Amino acid sequence: FEYTDFFSRSVKVHQADTLDFNFQGFHILGIAKSEAFAKSQQPLATPDKDDPPSVASGKPKISLNPVVFFFGSGCGWTAPCDYTGGNDLKISGQPQGSDWNVTINAGPGTYTYFCYIHPGMRGTVKVVEADESTTSQVQNDAVSQQQFLKEKAQAERAEKAADVVRYSGGEPGDRTYFVKVGISAADNHVAIDEVFPNGVKDPSKQLNLVAGDRVAYSWPDGHNVHSVTFPPDAVPPFGFDCNAGFTPAPPGPPPCAETGEPPELIADPGNAPSGTELTAPATVVDSGDRLGKDFNLPTTIRWAVTTGDGTAPGSYHYNCNIHDWMRGTLNVVAGSDSGGDRAHT
């Protein structure tokens, strides 16, 4: 479970007080007069309309903003950021430690803190007059504990409900199995980063296929990003859009730039359109990074692989190249036995 939330979602402070954001997971934080204002000034990503679309999704590739994704405002890690309100915007960039500190030097009013990479993860800081009371750490901790327990219970129920093998069609060789790539719970405050059905936790829920079977993947979590990449870790989640196409991002300087343009960081666009036939376990078949609908960027949240006469028997392992512990296996077997009774939908 990824708790895509602030604990807690609202605090009251005096001017010159400091907020200490303690990171428990991967987040990129911003603080501004509103989330909409912040994203209008520095969006996380934009559609790449200058180059051909992704062959996997048919949609524009996704260009990532290095100011947000890497550099941030350059403060908060070794010395606090100074947030002054108005049109000021402070961004953490990628975490450089466990705590990001922002001193609130804005006048009385309400301001927004949020996570760039988990839509819906937001809270408010209210600056009150000097004679008004503020949120104590004890109060914040008590609210946070109740908030956490409620979210955990909701996520556990959602996880159990999702972990069911489902298919349509009749006989082996004519079936479509349905796989969910991550789900959310608690009003998008928990991202459940698993593949459902989860054949890793329960091997009896691995999918056993014969030639002609199909696996339809969907991305129901609107506030997260996942891929389906055969074999696991075959393609990194981010790279550069070079003239020759997607180039994985290595350590060090960018390896290329498009002619007349600065280096362009993009999300993995994938290499396989929906309906690609699996051929061998070591052959790369990649959906690319699929963004949830809440990012408001061009994407598709459905993709499929098929099996046929050209599919060699074997175990086809895959994972999400962003959350590499999210793993699944398709077992392609010879003959007509696809492995037991399943819930039919």
Side-chain angles (χ1 to χ4, degrees):
F1 293 176
E2 219 182 337
Y3 289 88
T4 50
D5 205 356
F6 290 98
F7 295 89
S8 65
R9 294 183 210 129
S10 63
V11 292
K12 291 193 298 182
V13 302
H14 289 140
Q15 193 171 21
D17 284 348
T18 296
L19 297 181
D20 178 349
F21 294 97
N22 179 255
F23 280 66
Q24 301 290 327
F26 184 82
H27 305 284
I28 296 176
L29 304 189
I31 184 164
K33 61 184 179 183
S34 72
E35 186 174 349
F37 169 78
K39 291 181 176 179
S40 72
Q41 300 300 301
Q42 291 290 353
L44 171 67
T46 54
D48 179 3
K49 297 180 179 179
D50 298 329
D51 294 303
S54 158
V55 298
S57 68
K59 300 291 185 179
K61 290 176 281 189
I62 301 300
S63 296
L64 301 170
N65 181 353
V67 172
V68 173
F69 203 79
F70 284 127
F71 308 122
S73 301
C75 59
W77 301 106
T78 57
C81 290
D82 178 17
Y83 177 70
T84 57
N87 289 335
D88 194 7
L89 166 62
K90 291 297 186 289
I91 302 169
S92 71
Q94 284 200 19
Q96 302 174 30
S98 61
D99 291 81
W100 187 58
N101 289 273
V102 182
T103 299
I104 307 298
N105 278 317
T110 300
Y111 308 92
T112 300
Y113 47 86
F114 66 96
C115 178
Y116 266 99
I117 59 173
H118 296 110
M121 180 176 167
R122 64 178 65 92
T124 57
V125 52
K126 183 177 182 180
V127 180
V128 298
E129 300 289 352
D131 59 349
E132 296 183 58
S133 62
T134 61
T135 305
S136 71
Q137 192 63 53
V138 171
Q139 291 171 325
N140 189 73
D141 291 347
V143 169
S144 297
Q145 179 65 9
Q146 292 303 311
Q147 184 180 322
F148 167 72
L149 292 173
K150 182 179 179 180
E151 291 176 7
K152 180 174 182 287
Q154 292 180 19
E156 287 171 340
R157 291 193 294 268
E159 180 189 38
K160 183 177 180 179
D163 198 14
V164 178
V165 179
R166 301 184 184 277
Y167 70 89
S168 65
E171 297 300 316
D174 190 34
R175 292 180 173 178
T176 296
Y177 289 91
F178 301 100
V179 175
K180 294 179 179 179
V181 186
I183 62 172
S184 63
D187 297 323
N188 275 4
H189 290 125
V190 185
I192 303 177
D193 296 334
E194 300 177 46
V195 174
F196 295 103
N198 194 326
V200 174
K201 284 186 176 179
D202 183 353
S204 71
K205 292 178 180 176
Q206 289 187 8
L207 301 185
N208 298 320
L209 315 176
V210 298
D213 285 334
R214 181 174 181 268
V215 179
Y217 293 93
S218 64
W219 281 251
D221 185 352
H223 82 311
N224 216 336
V225 184
H226 303 295
S227 79
V228 172
T229 303
F230 295 86
D233 301 319
V235 182
F238 311 109
F240 291 94
D241 193 12
C242 299
N243 289 323
F246 179 74
T247 300
C256 62
E258 295 184 352
T259 303
E261 299 288 340
E264 185 177 13
L265 183 70
I266 63 169
D268 167 26
N271 75 336
S274 184
T276 294
E277 182 176 309
L278 299 175
T279 56
T283 300
V284 177
V285 177
D286 177 28
S287 72
D289 298 338
R290 300 296 175 102
L291 285 71
K293 61 181 179 60
D294 295 342
F295 286 88
N296 295 316
L297 288 165
T299 190
T300 58
I301 58 171
R302 299 190 185 279
W303 183 79
V305 293
T306 61
T307 60
D309 293 338
T311 305
S315 293
Y316 290 74
H317 302 291
Y318 63 90
N319 76 341
C320 168
N321 62 11
I322 296 174
H323 308 91
D324 59 4
W325 63 87
M326 289 178 62
R327 294 176 178 258
T329 299
L330 306 180
N331 295 314
V332 179
V333 298
S336 61
D337 181 10
S338 64
D341 296 329
R342 306 297 189 194
H344 185 272
T345 59

